[in-house]
Amino acid sequence: MPSLRFVLGCWGSVALASLAAGQDAFVNWESAHVHPLELTPDGARVLYRVGAAPVELFSAPVGGGTAVKLSPPTTAFGVSSFAIDASSGRVAFLRAWVSPSLYELWSAPIDGAQPAVRLSPVAEHTFSALNFTVGNGRGFYVADFERDDVFQLYRAPLDGAQPPLRLNAPFQPGSTVLGDVLEFLVAPRGGRVAYYADQQIDELEPQSGR
């Protein structure tokens, strides 16, 4: 992968541009094939998604140097979103390769020193991971891997050293679709998680009003 250089400027807000690999001119980062960038907390590296099908995740030194690909090889679909965990020096990302709507949660060192590891079960049939966040070396995500369309909350270490752990209480037993974790929040240090779910009555969601 040819080296990339990044230029940062400020005109009331931060603007970013990259020197596209194999090109002689700067291109705007909002182009169709260079997806939004994110700087590491120390400002040393920039992470970005490139491509259309597949979309792949790269990391490069801000001061110039060789970019490294963080996502595993794939021939289709690819990375939809990513989040940097400053405490562990890793990035977590959702990746689809079987179907554009079936995602797995993966993690890799920001500098690409080691291969990416999968944090969630293999996405197949209709099972998939959904929204996620990171904190204190852990990834938190919602998925229906245990039962189709029953979304539960899981935690896994970003280095993949342990299997995922379900955090929500078991849903009520029965033969029908039982419930979902609808939203969750993780404490800044990752020690506690709050969530709301239709835990006891399926499809019972909070109502807005005065």
Side-chain angles (χ1 to χ4, degrees):
M1 177 75 183
S3 62
L4 301 179
R5 293 179 57 197
F6 291 85
V7 176
L8 284 72
C10 184
W11 297 270
S13 62
V14 175
L16 301 172
S18 67
L19 183 60
Q23 297 182 4
D24 296 326
F26 285 95
V27 296
N28 191 288
W29 67 278
E30 291 180 340
S31 71
H33 300 294
V34 180
H35 299 268
L37 314 175
E38 185 171 343
L39 287 169
T40 55
D42 61 5
R45 301 186 73 87
V46 63
L47 276 66
Y48 57 97
R49 294 181 296 138
V50 173
V55 179
E56 298 177 306
L57 179 62
F58 286 85
S59 169
V62 168
T66 302
V68 292
K69 186 170 71 172
L70 304 182
S71 52
T74 184
T75 58
F77 315 124
V79 176
S80 64
S81 59
F82 63 91
I84 294 172
D85 180 57
S87 63
S88 65
R90 299 183 70 92
V91 58
F93 53 93
L94 283 179
R95 170 180 175 263
W97 61 277
V98 176
S99 163
S101 61
L102 298 181
Y103 291 98
E104 300 167 347
L105 185 63
W106 289 71
S107 170
I110 291 171
D111 61 4
Q114 297 175 337
V117 294
R118 181 168 44 81
L119 304 181
S120 64
V122 175
E124 56 186 352
H125 306 301
T126 58
F127 302 115
S128 177
L130 292 180
N131 56 311
F132 75 101
T133 188
V134 296
N136 198 30
R138 298 168 177 171
F140 302 82
Y141 66 95
V142 170
D144 64 344
F145 286 114
E146 294 185 33
R147 183 169 181 176
D148 187 25
D149 285 333
V150 178
F151 290 92
Q152 304 190 75
L153 178 60
Y154 300 88
R155 182 191 70 201
L158 291 178
D159 61 4
Q162 297 176 347
L165 174 68
R166 192 187 70 221
L167 299 181
N168 59 277
F171 291 125
Q172 295 295 312
S175 59
T176 61
V177 176
L178 304 178
D180 300 293
V181 172
L182 304 172
E183 287 189 20
F184 67 95
L185 295 172
V186 179
R189 295 184 179 180
R192 302 287 292 182
V193 178
Y195 70 93
Y196 77 79
D198 45 0
Q199 183 82 49
Q200 296 181 324
I201 301 177
D202 188 25
E203 297 185 358
L204 181 64
E205 300 184 16
Q207 300 295 313
S208 61
R210 296 184 179 180

